[in-house]
Amino acid sequence: MSVDSLLQTPAPLAGPLTLIHGKDEAPGWWRSAVIYQVYPRSFRDLNGDGIGDIAGITAELPQLADLDVDAVWLSPFYRSPQRDAGYDVSDYCDVDPLFGTLTDFDVMIAEANRLHLRVIVDLVPNHCSDQHVAFQAALAATPGSPERDMFIFRDGSGASGEEPPNNWASHFGGPAWTRIMEPDGTPGQWYLHLFDSSQPDFNWDNQGVHEEFERVLRFWLDRGVSGFRVDVAHALVKAPGLPDWGGRADGGSSDGYPGHEAPMFGQPALHAIYRKWRQILESYGPDRILCAEANVDPLPRLADWVRQDEMHQAFNFPYLHAGLDVHRLRGVITDSLLTLDAVGAPSTWVLSNHDVVRHASRFGYNGPGPRDGDGIGVWDHQPDEALGRRRAAAASMFMLGLPGGAYLYQGEELGLPDGIDIPDGQRQDPTFARTGGARLGRDGCRVPLPWSAEEPHNGFGNGQEPWLPQPESFKQLARDAQAASPTSHLNLYRRMLSTRRELRLGAGSLSWLERYCTGSSLAYLNGSTLVVMNLNHEPLDLPAGRVLLRSGSATPASDQPVADLGHRLGSNETVWMKINFEDAES
Ligand code: NOJ
Ligand code: CA
């Protein structure tokens, strides 16, 4: 790979180019991979109990192979009381009966292998469920015991320990500490939980915790997984003494990023843990990967996570948070490529996941939309669905042209919006209960997928009602309805992914084409492919060249039929073009 920092090159194409990143020649499938996130509860319900299952994933893997993704990442399916949709694990080495059995898992891996799809699983090392045997043992033991030392127990403050040990808050609202009853029935110590009170944090100063997770890694590697997405990878180690924190008490900040110096995030001792894990993965060969869910800012700090002997990838949350702000997008892309290139790591790009409002809904607002993790309710200002889907197609096409890896969230290939009309009693995200309903939480982006317009529950399952209600629009957005329509969102995704693979865009280069980087448009060259995104309300004249794909073909703007535009790019539209350099110069 050759990356030389910002470089002005002579104008080959109607104006100056700014080279940011050269072609990526390094080996490693993940460097340019498209990884599709499966949220098992909501993917496909084969046994009809209203909740997705592993057999349902196996049944639909051919659809994902057909979409032409490289790998799937599965959110947790481990044994769990499901207080945080499986991110509260009570047994890391078993499948929850809700989703199936270990045999179902093995069958799924075999099918994935047959289809040349890799499978990545979610590892949740910061906390477990309060039903985990280790935590139950800690509750039954005494203060200062080895069992308690697996977790973060402290005496309370105040005259009789009636106040929490420090001022940290839970990400889901309320304090990050809960007081227990000691086995003798008296009020006792407090334990730390950065998330729900049913999710006690492990004590990563204890070697026993390290050994336990090394065992878990090997368990799934032995079963054939290609790697792990590591949940809240920035939070495992806490600052010595657990000092009060003067910033937002859950360590976050108003722009959605963790406070840089927060004592519960980004501690230096984390890196030794990931180096050890990398060695374990490499003992299984060069193809197994670690991806950090590390909400770290600024970007140079994220680069520390993906040094050659640490993780392979980290999610690029600054990219997700940049939305459709062209200045922020350009800044994040430039900074990501430059800082990650400096440590030899590829960037990743992402627009949606199970924790944020889907981008088809976020982009349906002119002006500020919902805050992360807050969801949209029936009484809120509503997004414009058609506009949101059109912009989502434009944003996805812009993202999928970028060099590096990309993460897709199930259903974004269908242009699905968030579920909005969800009765309070059906909301399951702990954020909703812990904030007394003030924050709706993340259920809206977790609504079960529509597979087939004419089947019960849009083909999610043909038994009980899905665990969350599907919006009306899911019928027309069902996969089979879209598969039959050449101009659908789904078929646009198929064409984007196959063209991306054919042109090797993920391993390509990036130069900004200055002439099209305006206050409302952005353009880059990746090899000889030009990507232009127009967020203006006016069409944009395109340079000479051959149009490969345009996002507006899936969702035409009502006043601008695609065919009439010719070499003009519609409002809220992205195009991929092959540039004929000689024509362009003249
Ligand atoms: C991040 C996960 O993506 C989210 O869904 C979960 O609630 C928290 N980590 C806690 O595990
Ligand atoms: Ca089921």
Side-chain angles (χ1 to χ4, degrees), residues 557-576:
S558 46
D559 53 345
Q560 290 165 352
V562 175
D564 294 347
L565 280 170
H567 266 267
R568 302 178 81 205
L569 184 60
S571 172
N572 294 310
E573 193 180 8
T574 296
V575 69
W576 289 358

Side-chain angles (χ1 to χ4, degrees), residues 88-362:
D88 49 322
V89 182
S90 56
D91 183 347
Y92 288 87
C93 296
D94 202 1
V95 173
D96 196 288
L98 198 59
F99 300 121
T101 62
L102 276 172
T103 305
D104 292 338
F105 181 86
D106 293 340
V107 170
M108 182 194 64
I109 293 278
E111 174 68 348
N113 288 341
R114 186 182 75 77
L115 295 165
H116 305 292
L117 285 170
R118 297 171 190 272
V119 176
I120 289 168
V121 295
D122 216 306
L123 187 74
V124 190
N126 180 66
H127 47 263
C128 59
S129 157
D130 59 359
Q131 301 306 307
H132 192 287
V133 284
F135 191 71
Q136 288 296 314
L139 290 178
T142 50
S145 60
E147 290 85 353
R148 290 251 167 123
D149 194 49
M150 290 290 280
F151 299 90
I152 303 179
F153 279 90
R154 292 288 184 278
D155 294 334
S157 58
S160 52
E162 71 284 7
E163 297 293 333
N166 71 18
N167 73 347
W168 298 1
S170 153
H171 288 283
F172 297 154
W177 295 92
T178 292
R179 193 173 194 184
I180 65 161
M181 285 293 181
E182 295 295 347
D184 65 5
T186 55
Q189 288 196 300
W190 299 69
Y191 66 90
L192 179 71
H193 51 87
L194 294 185
F195 294 90
D196 188 53
S197 53
S198 68
Q199 294 168 293
D201 280 42
F202 281 110
N203 171 19
W204 278 89
D205 293 335
N206 182 330
Q207 208 43 45
V209 172
H210 292 235
E211 284 159 17
E212 174 59 11
F213 276 94
E214 288 164 15
R215 182 180 76 87
V216 173
L217 289 175
R218 291 201 162 90
F219 179 87
W220 294 106
L221 289 166
D222 287 339
R223 290 198 111 84
V225 306
S226 287
F228 303 87
R229 171 266 191 193
V230 181
D231 191 61
V232 280
H234 53 295
L236 276 51
V237 177
K238 280 79 180 173
L242 310 179
D244 277 355
W245 170 234
R248 209 174 85 182
D250 65 359
S253 65
S254 51
D255 60 2
Y257 303 122
H260 306 159
E261 309 306 332
M264 62 295 263
F265 294 142
Q267 299 299 308
L270 285 165
H271 297 286
I273 299 172
Y274 301 136
R275 290 199 175 99
K276 181 72 195 293
W277 291 6
R278 173 83 177 232
Q279 287 169 9
I280 293 174
L281 264 73
E282 284 185 353
S283 73
Y284 285 78
D287 276 0
R288 319 278 180 126
I289 66 159
L290 290 168
C291 176
E293 191 231 5
N295 204 344
V296 178
D297 193 53
L299 276 158
R301 294 196 56 168
L302 192 60
D304 291 347
W305 294 72
V306 287
R307 290 174 287 198
Q308 290 295 295
D309 57 347
E310 297 196 33
M311 300 230 184
H312 299 75
Q313 293 184 323
F315 286 149
N316 193 331
F317 287 114
Y319 184 78
L320 189 153
H321 291 294
L324 291 178
D325 177 329
V326 290
H327 296 294
R328 275 181 80 181
L329 274 175
R330 178 173 172 153
V332 168
I333 293 167
T334 300
D335 290 354
S336 301
L337 291 172
L338 291 178
T339 54
L340 295 172
D341 276 341
V343 293
S347 187
T348 61
W349 314 105
V350 63
L351 287 165
S352 279
N353 63 38
H354 64 293
D355 290 330
V356 298
V357 171
R358 286 179 174 279
H359 63 286
S361 292
R362 289 202 313 271

Side-chain angles (χ1 to χ4, degrees), residues 441-452:
R442 301 159 293 173
D443 292 310
C445 61
R446 300 175 176 181
V447 173
L449 295 187
W451 291 89
S452 169

